[in-house]
Every structure is written in C-alpha cells, then in structure tokens.
C-alpha cells in the first residue's frame, strides 16, 4: 500500500509541475524534492508516471519549470557527490535523479534551442565557478560510477566516518573488472552492477544529442557531451575507459553455471555489459583529432578513449580482448545437448562495431588477430549471421557490418592464408553440406546471400565479390561445392539480360574473372575441382567472349527477360533446391522479419571505389602455406550440379536486380563494346584450349564417365609455360572514408535505439538521424 502511495505522490507532483503556468520558485525545496526523495524504486515507474506528452507540454508551455527541474536534479547530484554519497538515502536519491533525467533529456535534446541550455552555468554558481550544467552532470556521474559502497566495493574499512572523500578518491584502484591494464578481479555485487547500469544509461542518453541531427549535420556535429567525457578535463577518463572495456571483455554468460541457471537467477551483469558496450562504441565514434571547436578556431582536445585504445600493445591484452569478443560473438551459435540450457546473449551487433573500431584505431590489434587462426573465431559468427539474416530486411544493417569487416580483413594477405584451414561444421547453418576449408564456407555463404538474399542486399554484391578477389590468390584447395557455386554466380551474372539491364552489372563479371585468373595463375596445383568445373562450364566463357553487342541483340535479350517476368510457373522450381541440396542437420531456413518489427533506416551503401584503393601484392610464388587436401566434395554428380545451376539461375533472376538504373539510361552497342573487349578472358581461354582436348581424349580412350578419374588427371597436370605471363596480384584495400563513417554512426545509433526498449529511452521522440519504419 505504501508503495502505491509514494507513486501517487510522485504522480501528483508531476501533474502540479505540468499544470502550473507560473514559474515555480527554485528555492522551494519541499516541492522539488518530491521528484527524487520519494521512493520510486525503478526506472520503469518513472517512465510510466512521467508521460512523454506531458514533458513536451512542459517544454512548450512552462519552459522555466522544465529548466528548474533539470537544474535542481543536477544540483542535487552535485551535493550528493560533495557528501560522498554515504547513506542509503543519498544513494536512492542519486538513482532517482538519474532516472528522471534519463526520462526528460531526450525531449530537450530533440529541440535544438535547448542544446545551449546544458552548456550554460548553474544559476546558483558564483562568478568563479561557472561550470556548464552538462559538465557538472558528467563530473557527478563519473564520481558516482566509482563511489565505494554504491557502485564499487570499498577497499577501506567500513563506517561513514572512515569513508573516502569522493573528490580525492583514486578511481584507478576501483576499476570494475580485471583485464587490460588491471590485474585484479573485484568481487561481483549485483546491487553495484545495477546502480552502474542506471548511471551509464543516463550518460548514453546525454550522448544521444547526435540522433536529433539530420545525417548531413551529424557527420560534422561536434558532440560536446562525448568530447568532455573523453577529454583530459575528466579525471576519471582512464579508469572509466578501462572499466567499460574490461566489463565487456571479461563477461562470460555461461561461466561455471549449472544448466538452466539463467532461468532461475536474474543476470545483473548482462544489462551492465550491454550499456557499457553501447557507451564504449558511442564514445569511440567521436574522433576529435581533426575537428575544430564550434566556439573558437582551436582544435579540440584528443578523445582519450580513442587514444587509450590505439595504444594497447601487449599480446596478453590483445588476447584478452579478442577472447572476450569472440566468446560473446560465438555465444548465440553454441549448441548444447539440453535445449535452451545455457544463456544466450544478443550483443553481436554492438560487438561487431567494437571489433571494427579496434581494427580501425589499433592496426597492431588487427595484425595480432590475423597472425593466428583466431581470426576464424570472428569469421564463422559473421558468416553465420550473414546467412541467417539474409531474408530479413530489418537486419540489412547487420549484413552490411559483417561484409565491411570481411572487406577490411581481406585486404591483408594473412586473412586469405588462414582461410585454408579445414572447416568442421560445428554450427548448423542452412547451407549445402560440404567437406573443405573456411574458404569454402565463405564462398558457399556468399553464394547463398547473392542468390537467395533480400533485394535490399544488392548494393553489397560489389563488396562480396571484392572480398573473394582479395583472398583468391591464397586459396589452395576449393571444394567441388564451392567451385560449382562460383561458376554459377558467373553464369547468372553473365546472362545478356542481366548485363544489359544496369550500367554497373558488368563489374560483377570482371570481379569473378579476376578471381578465377588469380587462382589459375597462383594456385593451379591444388585447385583441380575449380579447373574441372571451369572445363565443364566452358560454354559460359565462350558465350562471354562472343557476347552480342548489336542493338538488335541487346533489345532481344531485354525483351525476353521482361516477358519471362510474367511466367507464373517460375517460383515452383524452388522446390528442386531441397532435393538437390540437403542443408546441414539441425539448421533452419533464413526467416523474413516478423511483421511489425521496427527497422531504422540506413544511409546508402558507399560505392566500392570510394571504400577501397588498389594495391599491389607480391606473395612468393607457389608458397606452401598448408598441406594440400584433395577429394573435397567428389561425391556430387555432374547432372546434379547442372540441374542446380539452371534452377538457381532461373529461380533467383529477380534477386539479382541491382539498384534502379539512372533515368533514361539504356544499354547501347557502343557501351557494350567499351567494356566487352577488356574482359580478362585470355588465361581461362588458354587453359580451356590446352586442357579440354586432353580431358576429352582421356574420356574417349578410357571410356570414362567418372569425374574422380578426370580430377586425378587434373591434379597431376601442369600448365607451366603454357599460360600467359602471370598478372600482378591487385588487392583492393579498405580505406577510411566519409561514407562508411556516416554509415557506421547511423547503424550504431539505430541498433542502440532499438535495443533500449526497457525503458524505451528514445521511443516517440523526434529522431532525425534515421527514420523508424515498421516491417
């Protein structure tokens, strides 16, 4: 009953505040204290008892009262810090102030006129101590995040008279978790973790000023909140950065717990890890290294979080961070004998952003990741999510970030080398069964994304094929399944109707031909499966070499494609897929988005040319990186593969439509001629010229119908001296650019918006960085 009374009193105070048109006296502490001294014990109550419409009405009709409410809440927090927040009552008051500010701030930040309000001084401040309101708030929050017996366990003897002064406390002794730069692992305390979560949630709310700016402004917006938190003026910058990073990287959701323990006990650590990770990626997104202050022409102080991240250099620290990230990335994929017996966490999108930032700001970390097979612990979950999300338009952003990370890694030779490690299928995925390497897994998943993915993924095709080109010179033994998939992509992309329907579609054919050339010139010895598939599908290359380019032929190809669009019998051929290709045991097909799913919009995918620069790579010729494996996928029959290719080419023709063409553009004879002659077909044509007669002769002489005999012949064959001089290997390396920076900012805030539903911090506010659509 008492709890209901306090809620009623709190609600009365809110109504009183919003219904009074006259400014309420700031000195009337009895009135203002109702908002935080009452024991409203959780943030959900505050959100329920302070409706968004009333905050807006207060902002429009009684702005003075709203301003005083925020001033008084910050002032209260500052006073509590000055008293070192020693009593239970002060701690409850601090939490209530934080909850109220978390509720109110988004409605102030959505209105640009209020932004300057936070950077004005507290009214009670004297001339000498005119600290802006935002700085006072951040200082108080950071002090409270390292407050003994409130958010951290005290290392001193207990008792109020022995408590440490917050203002002089060395917060480096109170880092929340062991890991990078801090060896000790403090004991867990559920209440402290819950308190940290609420305070960090308020910091995240302060930083969200960015989402109330349109995309063009957000790109150049200097977020003063983040700049101050990460500047040398914040004495807690280093321990806070270390605490956030170590909290995320030391989290083990499964731990030593018994099965199903997550159903019996609430995990207070998971909400803390989630908000710590979100605060971390948001602060790392604010690079002040070349930004000039809005107020003066001076450049801004360094973002110390980025600085600290870039200076991590010890192998044991890299190992700890990488283990932490891969543990959490692989967590949703883990199979257990007892269904739902171990805890699954859904942090993968924020983790991928953190991994991207780590690789971006700390190249030594990226080289550490690539120098061992640990990179495959990042690759497999990314491929799992690409495959699982491909039909779901609400997860297009997740698809993009996975592909961007693979593009970044594929620019390094070591990534291609690591892909030769054999893959044992531990994660059920809705892909054909194959025996082979991680390279085969990469090809099979990419093929699935291209041929059966959502239409909104089409701008990624260039990126997917660029990754394959980058790794191709190092792939030693592609399986029969993967080889067939690559040839099928070429067959689908090189059909005249597809080539002539968009001005950039021919680029996809150039990428695939470059990939085949790399593998033939640099890894011929181990790739008999690929060579055999090229021979079997030689008509595709002959058709490309003789691609019609007369006006009449172009018109005929396009007319035939349009006529086929009306063929109602087409979708039925999808059923052949399940006959030809049984998926892995235990897997489930990729599902479209649930109706009603909220989906933040994203900027356009940057063009591959703006994201990459071509660089020469000179690996030692024929270097033996791993022992060669043979016999991959030899149990597939010729007719099965043929049938599958035709089925997929026809069935998924619609899914290969790239962006709408420029207005008025039409394929012309001159346009086709301008690139047809540059198709890099010489190496493949020479290979066919040499090997096709030899293979045909063997088949006739020995009466062969078994492909394993032909593969054995190809394994022992050689083309040394018969092929054109090997071309130099060109790697398209990712280059930082404004397009991907803007894309990441929008994606990251979209994820944070959607993930914060309890309480729904930004729901129903006027966000401008993206739009929220319902699927």
């Amino acid at each position: 009953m008492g709890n209901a009374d306090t809620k009623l009193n709190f609600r009365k105070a809110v109504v009183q505040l919003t219904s009074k048109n006259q400014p309420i006296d700031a000195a009337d502490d009895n009135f203002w204290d109702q908002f935080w001294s009452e024991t409203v014990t959780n943030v959900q109550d505050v959100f329920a008892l302070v409706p968004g419409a009333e905050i807006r009405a207060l902002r429009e009709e009684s702005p003075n009262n709203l301003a005083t409410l925020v001033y008084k809440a910050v002032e209260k927090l500052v006073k509590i810090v000055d008293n070192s927040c020693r009593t239970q009552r002060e701690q409850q008051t601090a939490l209530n102030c934080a909850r109220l500010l978390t509720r109110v701030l988004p409605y102030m930040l959505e209105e640009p006129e209020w932004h300057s309000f936070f950077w004005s001084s507290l009214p009670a401040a004297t001339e000498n101590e005119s600290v802006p309101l935002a700085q006072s708030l951040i200082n108080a929050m950071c002090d409270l995040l390292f407050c003994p017996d409130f958010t951290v366990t005290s290392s001193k003897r207990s008792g109020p008279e022995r408590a440490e002064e917050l203002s002089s406390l060395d917060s480096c002794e109170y880092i929340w978790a062991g890991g990078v730069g801090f060896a000790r692992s403090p004991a867990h305390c559920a209440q402290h973790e819950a308190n940290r979560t609420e305070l960090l949630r308020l910091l995240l709310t302060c930083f969200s000023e960015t989402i109330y700016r349109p995309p063009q402004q957000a790109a150049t917006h200097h977020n003063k909140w983040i700049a101050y938190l990460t500047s040398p003026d914040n004495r807690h910058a280093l321990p806070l950065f270390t605490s956030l990073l170590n909290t995320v990287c030391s989290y083990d959701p499964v731990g030593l717990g018994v099965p199903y323990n997550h159903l019996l006990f609430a995990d207070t650590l998971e909400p803390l890890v989630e908000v710590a990770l979100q605060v971390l990626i948001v602060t790392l997104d604010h690079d002040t290294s070349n930004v000039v202050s809005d107020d003066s022409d001076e450049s801004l102080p360094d973002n110390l979080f980025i600085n600290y991240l870039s200076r991590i250099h010890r192998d044991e620290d890299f190992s700890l961070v990488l283990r932490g990230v891969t543990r959490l990335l692989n967590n949703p994929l883990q199979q257990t004998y007892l269904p739902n017996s171990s805890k699954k966490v859904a942090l993968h999108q924020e983790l991928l952003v953190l991994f991207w930032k780590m690789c971006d700001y700390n190249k030594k970390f990226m080289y550490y990741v690539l120098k061992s097979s640990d990179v495959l612990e990042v690759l497999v979950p990314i491929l799992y999510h690409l495959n699982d999300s491909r039909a779901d338009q609400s997860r297009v952003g997740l698809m993009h970030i996975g592909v961007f990370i693979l593009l970044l890694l594929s620019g390094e030779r070591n990534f291609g080398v690591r892909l030769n490690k054999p893959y044992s299928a531990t994660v059920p995925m809705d892909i054909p069964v194959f025996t082979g390497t991680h390279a085969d897994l990469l090809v099979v998943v990419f093929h699935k994304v291209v041929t059966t993915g959502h239409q909104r993924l089409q701008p990624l095709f260039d990126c997917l094929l660029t990754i394959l080109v980058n790794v191709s010179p190092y792939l030693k033994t592609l399986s029969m399944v993967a080889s067939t998939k690559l040839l099928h992509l070429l067959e689908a992309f090189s059909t005249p109707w597809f080539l002539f329907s968009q001005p950039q579609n021919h680029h996809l054919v150039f990428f695939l031909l470059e990939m085949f050339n790399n593998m033939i010139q640099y890894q011929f010895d181990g790739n008999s499966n690929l060579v055999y598939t090229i021979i079997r599908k030689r008509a595709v290359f002959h058709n490309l070499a003789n691609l019609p380019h007369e006006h009449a032929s172009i018109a005929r190809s396009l007319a035939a494609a349009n006529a086929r669009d009306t063929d109602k019998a087409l979708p039925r051929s999808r059923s052949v897929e399940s006959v030809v290709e049984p998926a892995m045991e235990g897997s489930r097909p990729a599902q479209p988005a649930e109706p009603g799913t909220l989906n933040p919009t994203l900027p356009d995918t940057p063009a591959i040319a703006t994201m990459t620069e071509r660089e020469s790579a000179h690996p030692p010729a024929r270097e033996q990186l791993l022992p060669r494996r043979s016999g991959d996928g030899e149990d597939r029959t010729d007719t099965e593969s043929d049938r599958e290719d035709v089925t997929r080419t026809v069935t998924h023709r619609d899914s290969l439509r790239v962006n709408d063409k420029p207005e008025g553009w039409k394929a012309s004879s001159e346009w086709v001629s301008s690139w047809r002659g540059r198709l890099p077909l010489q190496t493949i044509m020479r290979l066919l010229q040499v090997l096709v007669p030899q293979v045909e002769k063997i088949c006739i002489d020995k009466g062969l119908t078994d492909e394993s005999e032909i593969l054995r012949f190809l394994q022992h064959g050689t083309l040394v001296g018969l092929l054109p001089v090997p071309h130099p290997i060109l790697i398209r390396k990712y280059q930082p650019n404004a397009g991907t920076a803007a894309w990441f900012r929008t994606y990251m805030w979209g994820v944070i918006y959607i993930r914060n539903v309890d309480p729904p911090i930004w729901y129903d506010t006027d966000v401008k960085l993206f739009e929220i659509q319902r699927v």
Side-chain angles (χ1 to χ4, degrees):
M1 189 65 206
N3 190 27
D5 283 348
T6 55
K7 286 187 187 179
L8 190 62
N9 292 343
F10 182 84
R11 180 70 194 130
K12 277 182 185 165
V14 173
V15 171
Q16 217 177 337
L17 179 69
T18 49
S19 59
K20 288 199 177 178
N21 292 332
Q22 294 303 312
I24 300 168
D25 186 0
D28 184 358
D29 284 343
N30 287 339
F31 174 74
W32 297 110
D33 283 350
Q34 296 176 95
F35 291 99
W36 32 83
S37 60
E38 296 288 352
T39 49
V40 173
T41 51
N42 60 54
V43 70
Q44 287 78 10
D45 282 351
V46 173
F47 271 66
L49 297 169
V50 189
E54 291 184 21
I55 305 172
R56 277 212 183 92
L58 185 63
R59 186 187 72 198
E60 301 308 323
E61 293 157 26
S62 315
N64 281 349
N65 288 344
L66 178 60
T68 309
L69 178 70
V70 173
Y71 275 136
K72 295 298 284 185
V74 175
E75 186 182 63
K76 195 74 186 172
L77 284 169
V78 171
K79 279 183 183 163
I80 288 171
V81 168
D82 288 343
N83 291 341
S84 297
C85 192
R86 293 173 188 183
T87 67
Q88 187 75 42
R89 185 169 181 183
E90 283 180 325
Q91 293 176 5
Q92 188 61 54
T93 303
L95 288 174
N96 281 348
C97 287
R99 290 162 183 160
L100 189 71
L101 290 169
T102 303
R103 179 59 172 147
V104 169
L105 252 58
Y107 292 91
M108 301 172 78
L109 295 175
E110 74 176 359
E111 192 57 68
E113 292 160 17
W114 280 86
H115 291 185
S116 57
F117 162 77
F118 294 101
W119 297 95
S120 57
S121 312
L122 279 165
T126 61
E127 285 300 309
N128 304 337
E129 49 175 67
S130 57
V131 179
L133 187 66
Q135 284 187 21
S136 299
L137 177 55
I138 288 177
N139 288 341
M141 300 302 294
C142 289
D143 281 338
L144 290 171
L145 283 167
F146 296 98
C147 175
D149 301 321
F150 178 42
T151 49
V152 293
T153 307
S154 176
S155 57
K156 300 285 186 283
R157 285 175 58 188
S158 57
E161 69 287 347
R162 296 190 178 277
E164 293 180 80
E165 294 293 330
L166 273 190
S167 54
S168 59
L169 175 135
D170 178 6
S171 45
C172 285
E173 292 180 17
Y174 289 101
I175 287 169
W176 304 339
V180 177
F182 189 72
R184 204 166 66 242
S185 288
H188 286 297
C189 169
Q191 191 54 56
H192 294 172
E193 286 160 2
N195 294 346
R196 280 178 216 160
T197 302
E198 299 219 41
L199 298 177
L200 286 177
R201 202 184 278 132
L202 174 54
L203 278 181
L204 193 61
T205 307
C206 295
F207 300 158
S208 66
E209 186 177 277
T210 304
I211 67 176
Y212 298 107
R213 308 240 169 190
Q216 307 75 17
Q217 282 183 27
T220 55
H221 169 51
H222 165 48
N223 189 317
K224 291 183 177 179
W225 298 88
I226 299 175
Y228 181 72
L229 181 94
T230 59
S231 75
D233 292 333
N234 177 11
R235 71 187 187 93
H236 299 292
L238 176 59
L240 184 57
F241 168 78
T242 311
S243 293
L244 295 171
L245 184 64
N246 290 354
T247 296
V248 172
C249 294
S250 64
Y251 178 47
D252 184 356
V254 178
L256 301 171
V258 292
Y260 300 105
N261 67 340
H262 63 288
L263 302 178
L264 306 175
F265 311 105
D267 179 0
T268 50
L269 200 48
E270 186 185 355
L272 173 63
V273 171
E274 193 174 308
V275 72
L277 181 51
Q278 290 170 359
V279 169
L280 192 56
I281 59 178
V282 166
T283 48
L284 291 173
D285 185 57
H286 193 64
D287 190 350
T288 52
S289 53
N290 49 10
V291 179
V292 173
S293 169
D294 300 341
D295 308 325
S296 67
D297 292 338
E298 294 174 23
S299 58
L300 296 163
D302 270 1
N303 179 331
L304 291 182
F305 281 29
I306 292 176
N307 192 327
Y308 297 143
L309 185 72
S310 66
R311 286 180 11 213
I312 298 172
H313 62 279
R314 299 187 317 165
D315 275 7
E316 52 264 45
D317 288 340
F318 288 153
S319 167
L320 190 134
V321 171
L322 183 60
R323 263 205 326 275
V325 170
T326 54
R327 182 195 305 120
L328 292 174
L329 275 181
N330 283 284
N331 164 272
L333 285 56
Q334 282 166 2
Q335 298 304 304
T336 49
Y337 292 109
L338 303 168
N340 306 317
S341 63
S342 68
K343 184 172 174 60
K344 299 275 190 273
V345 291
L347 303 162
H348 47 276
Q349 303 197 75
E350 296 97 318
L351 283 163
L352 291 174
V353 175
L354 177 63
F355 183 78
W356 174 270
K357 295 286 180 198
M358 290 280 303
C359 291
D360 196 16
Y361 290 127
N362 193 323
K363 287 291 175 269
K364 285 181 181 166
F365 173 74
M366 186 165 85
Y367 298 138
Y368 174 85
V369 171
L370 288 166
K371 81 178 184 187
S372 75
S373 297
D374 288 348
V375 68
L376 303 176
E377 296 290 312
V378 178
L379 171 74
V380 171
I382 287 177
L383 292 178
Y384 170 84
H385 288 303
L386 290 185
N387 186 59
D388 190 53
S389 310
R390 67 183 190 273
D392 182 346
Q393 60 169 318
S394 72
R395 291 196 278 173
V396 166
L398 172 58
M399 301 286 294
H400 276 71
I401 186 173
V403 172
F404 288 160
I405 287 174
L406 297 182
L407 179 66
L408 175 71
L409 296 176
S410 74
E412 304 299 329
R413 175 176 176 270
N414 265 355
F415 181 66
V417 173
R418 299 289 159 229
L419 291 176
N420 290 303
K421 186 174 179 181
Y423 174 69
S424 56
T426 51
V427 182
M429 285 163 79
D430 160 35
I431 53 172
V433 180
F434 68 90
T435 306
T437 64
H438 284 76
D440 296 308
L441 179 67
L442 185 80
V443 169
V444 169
V445 169
F446 280 13
H447 176 270
K448 199 91 170 168
V449 169
V450 169
T451 56
T452 66
H454 194 275
Q455 271 185 295
R456 288 180 59 195
L457 300 177
Q458 290 155 358
L460 280 177
F461 289 1
D462 277 356
C463 280
L464 293 169
L465 296 192
T466 300
I467 293 163
L468 293 177
V469 173
N470 281 349
V471 301
S472 59
Y474 315 111
L475 305 186
K476 299 195 135 324
T477 52
L478 221 52
S479 70
M480 187 61 83
V481 173
S483 303
T484 307
K485 299 299 178 201
L486 287 175
L487 263 295
H488 171 245
L489 285 182
L490 182 68
E491 190 174 16
F493 286 149
S494 62
T495 51
W497 72 264
F498 179 72
L499 283 172
F500 301 155
S501 60
Q502 300 288 346
Q504 67 279 26
N505 283 3
H506 62 286
H507 295 166
L508 303 173
V509 171
F510 275 83
F511 281 134
L512 283 164
L513 291 176
E514 187 179 340
M515 180 185 185
F516 293 141
N517 288 341
N518 282 342
M519 294 182 73
I520 292 165
Q521 292 279 23
Y522 290 96
Q523 298 292 351
F524 178 82
D525 290 354
N527 276 307
S528 52
N529 288 322
L530 180 69
V531 173
Y532 173 68
T533 313
I534 288 173
I535 291 172
R536 202 165 49 75
K537 288 286 185 184
R538 57 192 177 276
V540 177
F541 300 98
H542 290 302
N543 291 343
L544 259 178
N546 302 307
L547 188 73
H549 62 289
E550 305 80 20
H551 287 294
S553 308
I554 293 172
R556 265 200 309 277
S557 299
L558 291 171
N562 290 334
R564 281 208 304 266
D565 272 354
T566 58
D567 184 355
K568 295 287 185 289
L570 211 59
R572 280 199 304 234
S573 58
R574 282 175 184 267
S575 58
V576 181
E577 267 182 57
S578 53
V579 180
V580 177
E581 290 189 330
M584 290 174 61
E585 193 180 337
S587 66
R588 61 185 187 88
Q591 300 298 318
E594 294 276 332
T597 304
L598 293 180
N599 183 29
T601 55
L602 287 163
D604 291 339
T605 310
I608 193 73
T610 65
M611 282 202 285
T612 56
E613 280 182 18
R614 288 161 67 112
E615 289 187 17
S616 179
H618 298 286
R622 304 279 190 273
E623 182 182 337
Q624 284 296 312
L625 302 165
L626 284 169
R628 194 169 77 213
R629 288 164 55 82
S630 60
D632 290 351
E634 288 179 6
D635 54 343
R636 294 176 60 75
T637 67
D638 210 337
T639 49
E640 271 186 350
S641 299
D642 274 333
R643 202 166 27 150
E644 169 211 355
D645 279 359
V646 173
T647 303
R648 284 187 180 280
T649 307
V650 175
T651 306
H652 302 300
R653 192 167 41 58
D654 284 351
S655 74
L656 296 177
R657 291 241 172 85
V658 184
N659 322 341
D660 294 337
K661 55 184 164 233
E663 206 175 326
W665 182 86
K666 254 173 105 172
S668 66
S669 178
E670 298 73 26
W671 173 74
V672 176
S673 301
S674 71
W675 54 262
R676 193 185 83 146
R678 291 186 290 112
L679 286 167
L681 287 163
Q682 302 82 346
T683 300
I684 292 171
M685 289 310 200
R686 183 76 184 120
L687 174 144
L688 293 172
Q689 194 184 352
V690 173
L691 291 180
V692 170
Q694 294 180 9
V695 169
E696 286 178 341
K697 186 172 185 304
I698 289 175
C699 291
I700 293 165
D701 290 354
K702 299 191 175 178
L704 282 185
T705 53
D706 181 8
E707 68 180 22
S708 60
E709 283 287 329
I710 301 166
L711 285 165
R712 228 184 327 275
F713 163 72
L714 292 172
Q715 272 167 11
H716 297 108
T718 178
L719 291 178
V720 174
L722 297 173
L723 293 178
V725 177
H727 55 282
I729 296 173
L730 287 173
I731 303 294
R732 291 165 180 81
K733 278 195 174 231
Y734 170 81
Q735 297 296 328
N737 61 89
T740 42
W743 188 92
F744 268 91
R745 184 170 302 113
T746 309
Y747 170 65
M748 172 184 74
W749 275 112
V751 169
I752 291 170
Y753 179 103
I754 294 292
R755 299 260 288 128
N756 280 277
V757 290
D758 184 23
I761 301 177
W762 300 281
Y763 188 75
D764 193 36
T765 63
D766 187 17
V767 172
K768 296 203 171 63
L769 183 62
F770 45 81
E771 287 175 35
I772 296 290
Q773 300 170 333
R774 274 190 192 278
V775 174

